[in-house]
Amino acid sequence: MLTHYRVPPSTDISASDLQSFFDNKVAGVRAATADADPPSFTPALVVCVLRLFSAVTPADVVASVKALPDKQCAFDPLPTWLLKKCVGVISPFLCQLFNWSLEHGSVPSSFKCAYITPLLKKADLDPADVKSYRPISNLSVVSKLLERLVSSELVKYLKDNDLLPDLQSAYRAMHSTETAVLKVLADILLALDSGDLAMLTLLDLSAAFDSVDHDTLLNRLQVLRSWRAGAELVRIIFVWLCSTRTHIGGLFYTVSAVLYGVSQGSVLGPILWTPLTCCSW
């Protein structure tokens, strides 16, 4: 993915500063866990099979476009409002493009171009400190349409085969942080009502999305029986993961390889992260 960094206004932070910080942060996290045991997975049932993507229809494209939020990347040459206005005319062409990508496991190079907007983690943090930011990817609306089609297929597979934990709230329809908090609160109240003590342990994963190992994820999809993924599925995800990053600040830019992680701000990124951490394999 070709990604362009937008430097925060009114600061002395350069694109190179942001690139170095995020690259070094991920390298540090990985170095701290380098001596950990190799990942292991519990295979799913043999009947859990996802070999091919379902064919996309023009009606699917129209429905996906209408469901898009109005917000978009400022650098996107196709405004969302314009796409929605003419989707009835161009949906057959988008349908053909998407089906070709899904069939051959290939993604157009323009779909892998994103602008990175570093956002402050909290409003009271120092805007002149690179540690105060998290990188958010802004991708083209057409690229995210294709991501939505792929992610909906993966989520449907996980749901139909009962591969998600019953209590998982992330990346599931009708679930949110509210459902997670309600479950925790209910468990605490039940324990107290029974005369027991309640203790809450919280775990925060540092750079969770940015430090995803591509080899581990692809091995999870391709080799293990739990996904029984077809070649096209693995290939199209591989194309999304293996990319080049360009950091731009003013008239200056730097280029580096994206060796790890999934894009925060993408549609498919969180879904790809799920099978490594949350799925009840």
Side-chain angles (χ1 to χ4, degrees):
M1 180 174 289
L2 187 65
T3 57
H4 308 263
Y5 259 97
R6 298 172 61 191
V7 178
S10 305
T11 71
D12 294 329
I13 299 177
S14 68
S16 297
D17 294 334
L18 290 168
Q19 173 199 353
S20 299
F21 169 72
F22 290 121
D23 286 350
N24 293 336
K25 178 180 179 180
V26 173
V29 172
R30 293 182 58 82
T33 59
D35 57 349
D37 295 333
S40 60
F41 309 104
T42 302
L45 299 176
V46 178
V47 294
C48 299
V49 178
L50 177 59
R51 296 192 182 280
L52 297 173
F53 289 105
S54 301
V56 178
T57 66
D60 295 331
V61 175
V62 172
S64 297
V65 170
K66 290 183 177 180
L68 287 172
D70 291 330
K71 63 180 181 178
Q72 67 182 59
C73 174
F75 300 93
D76 195 340
L78 178 60
T80 303
W81 66 265
L82 180 58
L83 176 60
K84 290 184 176 181
K85 189 174 182 178
C86 61
V87 65
V89 177
I90 66 175
S91 59
F93 304 98
L94 290 177
C95 178
Q96 183 176 359
L97 172 62
F98 293 159
N99 279 325
W100 191 94
S101 291
L102 296 176
E103 180 181 354
H104 294 85
S106 178
V107 180
S109 58
S110 60
F111 284 16
K112 297 184 291 176
C113 180
Y115 284 86
I116 303 297
T117 302
L119 298 181
L120 282 173
K121 298 178 181 178
K122 297 181 180 179
D124 59 346
L125 294 178
D126 182 6
D129 188 350
V130 292
K131 297 179 181 178
S132 303
Y133 294 90
R134 64 164 54 92
I136 302 299
S137 300
N138 300 110
L139 297 98
S140 71
V141 62
V142 179
S143 171
K144 297 188 82 167
L145 274 177
L146 179 56
E147 283 192 86
R148 288 179 186 277
L149 294 170
V150 173
S151 64
S152 63
E153 189 92 358
L154 297 183
V155 170
K156 183 178 184 299
Y157 166 76
L158 292 171
K159 184 178 179 180
D160 290 348
N161 290 279
D162 196 25
L163 295 176
L164 291 174
D166 294 336
L167 300 180
Q168 179 180 328
S169 289
Y171 321 121
R172 300 181 69 183
M174 309 303 295
H175 291 72
S176 65
T177 53
E178 292 182 3
T179 58
V181 171
L182 286 174
K183 171 59 178 173
V184 172
L185 179 59
D187 288 345
I188 292 176
L189 293 177
L190 287 174
L192 296 178
D193 289 342
S194 301
D196 297 329
L197 297 176
M199 178 179 295
L200 180 63
T201 302
L202 301 176
L203 174 65
D204 181 21
L205 301 179
S206 178
F209 284 89
D210 298 326
S211 57
V212 170
D213 187 280
H214 293 176
D215 290 337
T216 300
L217 175 57
L218 292 174
N219 180 66
R220 182 79 167 107
L221 294 172
Q222 188 173 28
V223 177
L224 297 178
R225 229 175 45 188
S226 53
W227 278 78
R228 298 179 63 82
E232 292 76 14
L233 171 61
V234 175
R235 191 180 304 117
I236 199 169
I237 291 176
F238 178 79
V239 170
W240 254 305
L241 293 174
C242 297
S243 53
T244 305
R245 177 183 297 162
T246 302
H247 309 259
I248 294 182
L251 300 178
F252 302 95
Y253 69 91
T254 58
V255 179
S256 64
V258 178
L259 302 178
Y260 313 105
V262 293
S263 296
Q264 297 189 51
S266 66
V267 176
L268 191 58
I271 305 302
L272 292 178
W273 191 77
T274 301
L276 291 180
T277 56
C278 303
C279 292
S280 178
W281 305 108

